[in-house]
Amino acid sequence: MKAIHVTRFGTGEDNLAFVEDAPKPDLAPNSADILVKVLATSVHPGDCRVMDGSVSLVMKPKEFPYVLGMELCGVVEEVGVMCKRFKVGDRVVASLPSFEHGTFTEYVAFDSQLAVLAPKNCSSEEATSLIVSGCTAIQALKSAQVVTNGKILILGGSGGVGTFLLQLAKIRGVSTIATTSTNAQLVSSLGADQVVDYREHKWWELLAGQNFDAIIDCVGGDESWQHCDHVLSKSGRFVAVATDPEASIRSVMDLIRFAGPAMWRSLNPFTTSYTLVVSFPKEKEMQELVDMVDKHDLKPVLDPSSPYDFTLEAVQRAVALQRSQRAKGKLVVRIDDP
């Protein structure tokens, strides 16, 4: 079985390997698991963080080598005797359990509770991009607690989460202003009422005094938090989807340095309300996303370079682009044709 292995921690792409003799998984006896033939998978920021070892204290692979990836779209090839939700031939989307990996391969076996039927109105490549980023966007909007006719600022509107946030906000009747650099046309097409080029403007100066109900930060770094009071209303909320991309959590002291400021911001009654979203996709949210796609209310956005071929060189390029934070939507790899 073909697979992309991560062979060790590393900040480049030379710790990836393409293998053709990976063992095909078996279903556990008397389980509700499903065996899925993978059609497509995606590269996620979390994949890169695990690969480079920067969060090894809290997100460490069980062993090396391990198979890259956490979300997929595929076809059910076999069902466990206790599985009543799916049948052979069903096309599903799924996210593996928290802190587990293994979708850059031809077959994956996992608990059927982690999957829902894929949308009927999109390709497998589009469907695989839904789960992690889409569920993160749903959870971020819930944390923002913005009602119809509210107004939010989305920092980083052209990434995987940002593209879903813009569409979900529009569905809910929420006005949005989004920051981006070269992707203004894309962000506008997804529903942004105003686009701010962060290369030309400091958003906290350009938008000062506009009294946003919430900021949702998909970029990370301390700068956004430090300037949020310039644009938020007195009751406004700051929701962090991304943290400092340079942060390291390799030791207990690293964890204290990382978690301490976030906890203080969350608990301090004298500062702006702060929430750090750590997304764990739930079945209800996954189904909500699928339903919106089937109703044509929501469309997954893929980077123009997607889909990538299932080769070592192509996956290395996808990982490099993800690390650059310059993707215009999701980065997807086609594992097999439907």
Side-chain angles (χ1 to χ4, degrees), residues 58-93:
V58 292
M59 294 179 66
K60 185 176 182 179
K62 295 177 181 178
E63 60 183 0
F64 287 105
Y66 71 90
V67 178
L68 182 68
M70 61 180 72
E71 61 185 343
L72 62 84
C73 178
V75 175
V76 176
E77 184 161 287
E78 187 178 346
V79 298
V81 295
M82 302 301 292
C83 176
K84 308 301 181 184
R85 303 177 65 231
F86 303 109
K87 64 182 184 300
V88 173
D90 282 343
R91 193 175 68 131
V92 298
V93 289

Side-chain angles (χ1 to χ4, degrees), residues 4 38-43 68 71-73 103-105 124-125 128-129 302 305-312 314-319 330-336:
I4 295 288
V38 181
L39 300 177
T41 185
S42 67
V43 182
L68 182 68
E71 61 185 343
L72 62 84
C73 178
T103 60
F104 275 67
T105 186
S124 297
E125 291 79 19
T128 194
S129 73
L302 305 187
S305 63
S306 294
Y308 289 82
D309 293 332
F310 188 37
T311 65
L312 177 60
V315 173
Q316 286 174 327
R317 291 198 304 272
V319 170
K330 291 286 289 188
L331 298 166
V332 171
V333 175
R334 179 185 291 131
I335 304 296
D336 199 356

Side-chain angles (χ1 to χ4, degrees), residues 10 63 83 116 129 212 225 326:
E63 60 183 0
C83 176
V116 295
S129 73
F212 288 92
W225 169 255
R326 293 291 182 267

